[in-house]
Amino acid sequence: MTRRSVTAQYPDAQPELPPRTRGVIGLFEENCTVCMLCARECPDWCIYIDSHKETVPPAAPGGRERSRNVLDRFAIDFSLCMYCGICIEVCPFDALFWSPEFEYAETDIHELTHERDKLREWMWTVPAPPALDPAAEEPKEIAAARKAAEKLAAQAAKAEAEAAEAAGTQVEGDA
């Protein structure tokens, strides 16, 4: 309150945005499996997804063909979107991310429905996730995997020592 207010000259000077700003939603298309969770959970019904099934040949001879969903259309109507982030939260494959881009105004409301090409472009503006806290507790999954690996290494070392001991006693018995 004791400092003078300063007006940011917006078009000429870009604002300093806080990290992880919610601007627009970016799509990482390679991770999208067309599970439709984002569209089903959206309270505004502003996500439009179209897909078709494709058969994939068997990976090995004698195997069976598999079917997979192929994404045809992924669009978000930003004139309806309330930027709640539910779609990003429920995506099990990390295909949706917040981008700090906020300059996407259009003169016609119909142009605010952005297709997957535009959403893919915004994916490259998504900032990297913050670094992990070095004092944080190790995730349970990693701790369990590390313990299992240490247990297997200990068993292998024990078996190796027993094999070397048995080989040593056999050499002494032969002499």
Side-chain angles (χ1 to χ4, degrees), residues 10 29 54 76 103 117 119 156 164 170:
Y10 166 61
E29 203 172 325
E54 212 174 66
I76 299 176
E103 299 175 308
D117 299 334
L119 299 174
Q170 186 175 1

Side-chain angles (χ1 to χ4, degrees), residues 55-132:
T55 57
V56 179
R64 68 181 179 101
E65 291 183 338
R66 305 272 181 191
S67 66
R68 69 179 185 106
N69 290 327
V70 177
L71 185 66
D72 292 330
R73 179 180 186 224
F74 192 104
I76 299 176
D77 188 350
F78 286 106
S79 66
L80 295 175
C81 182
M82 64 182 188
Y83 303 92
C84 63
I86 292 174
C87 57
I88 296 169
E89 299 277 331
V90 300
C91 182
F93 302 104
D94 289 333
L96 298 172
F97 294 90
W98 283 117
S99 169
E101 293 293 316
F102 62 93
E103 299 175 308
Y104 54 95
E106 300 288 346
T107 55
D108 185 13
I109 196 168
H110 298 292
E111 293 175 7
L112 281 172
T113 301
H114 295 292
E115 298 291 331
R116 68 184 189 182
D117 299 334
K118 188 70 172 175
L119 299 174
R120 187 182 319 120
E121 286 176 27
W122 282 323
M123 187 60 211
W124 308 119
T125 63
V126 172
L132 296 175

